Amino acid sequence: ILFKAQYGHVYEVKCMAFSPPPVLPPHASDSDFNWIDTFIMKGDVVPCLSFGAGADLQTIIVYVCLLLRARLCSDQVFDCLDECRKRLRTIENNIKLKHAGSVFLIQKFMDEKEEVNIDQVSNDQFKEIIMTPNMLEHHLPNKMIKAFDIFSVE
């Protein structure tokens, strides 16, 4: 973009982003960023970390504390949490950012073949922070090295 403006030349550039946080406003045009491919590992928390999703998570945590204080049974707590999530999705002034370019979700299936599946997905899958037991484990150095070894070209 800068070369075209300054020198009149257009260079073909392809960018690959691996599990970035969302940085674009929802109204940003996807066609302006078609030179970017974003790859996200299923269960990774970083691609969901926008200010709006963080505000939602804070609301949910406070709500859970209030529910536990009321000594509700676990089924009632989960029902209330589902209702809270549904209501949070309807708040229009809580803007969720989106990823640039085409978004691909990487899923690893733990079967005999240890298959990896990569599908193009919508940005809508990353508007909410879903807490999982292994979401922080994905960012430990040994996991990152193993992931790069899988995708390295010899």
Side-chain angles (χ1 to χ4, degrees):
I1 295 170
L2 295 176
F3 276 110
K4 183 178 179 183
Q6 190 170 5
Y7 303 108
H9 299 296
V10 178
Y11 293 94
E12 189 68 32
V13 175
K14 190 66 174 175
C15 174
M16 299 171 92
F18 294 93
S19 291
V23 294
L24 298 177
H27 56 75
S29 170
D30 291 334
S31 62
D32 290 340
F33 298 95
N34 60 2
W35 49 278
I36 299 175
D37 287 340
T38 298
F39 294 90
I40 297 171
M41 191 73 157
K42 184 175 180 159
D44 192 351
V45 68
V46 173
C48 302
L49 294 178
S50 69
F51 184 78
D56 288 353
L57 181 60
Q58 179 185 15
T59 300
I60 289 170
I61 290 170
V62 169
Y63 189 58
V64 166
C65 291
L66 293 173
L67 292 173
L68 293 175
R69 202 172 193 189
R71 299 185 186 275
L72 297 176
C73 71
S74 61
D75 289 341
Q76 290 173 309
V77 169
F78 285 110
D79 290 343
C80 290
L81 280 176
D82 284 340
E83 187 60 34
C84 180
R85 280 197 173 102
K86 287 176 189 172
R87 289 185 185 188
L88 285 171
R89 289 181 193 130
T90 64
I91 299 173
E92 291 185 23
N93 65 350
N94 187 358
I95 297 172
K96 309 294 191 306
L97 300 177
K98 69 179 191 175
H99 295 94
S102 301
V103 180
F104 297 91
L105 184 65
I106 302 170
Q107 298 180 65
K108 184 175 181 182
F109 299 100
M110 299 305 288
D111 56 12
E112 297 151 8
K113 300 176 191 173
E114 289 194 21
E115 294 178 334
V116 175
N117 190 31
I118 302 174
D119 293 313
Q120 189 168 358
V121 297
S122 163
N123 262 299
D124 292 337
Q125 293 192 24
F126 307 100
K127 288 185 176 181
E128 184 177 356
I129 299 173
I130 304 295
M131 304 299 284
T132 63
N134 60 350
M135 65 189 226
L136 296 177
E137 180 186 347
H138 287 155
H139 297 281
L140 296 176
N142 63 331
K143 292 286 187 175
M144 299 299 285
I145 292 168
K146 191 183 272 187
F148 285 125
D149 286 344
I150 290 172
F151 293 104
S152 67
V153 178
E154 295 181 3

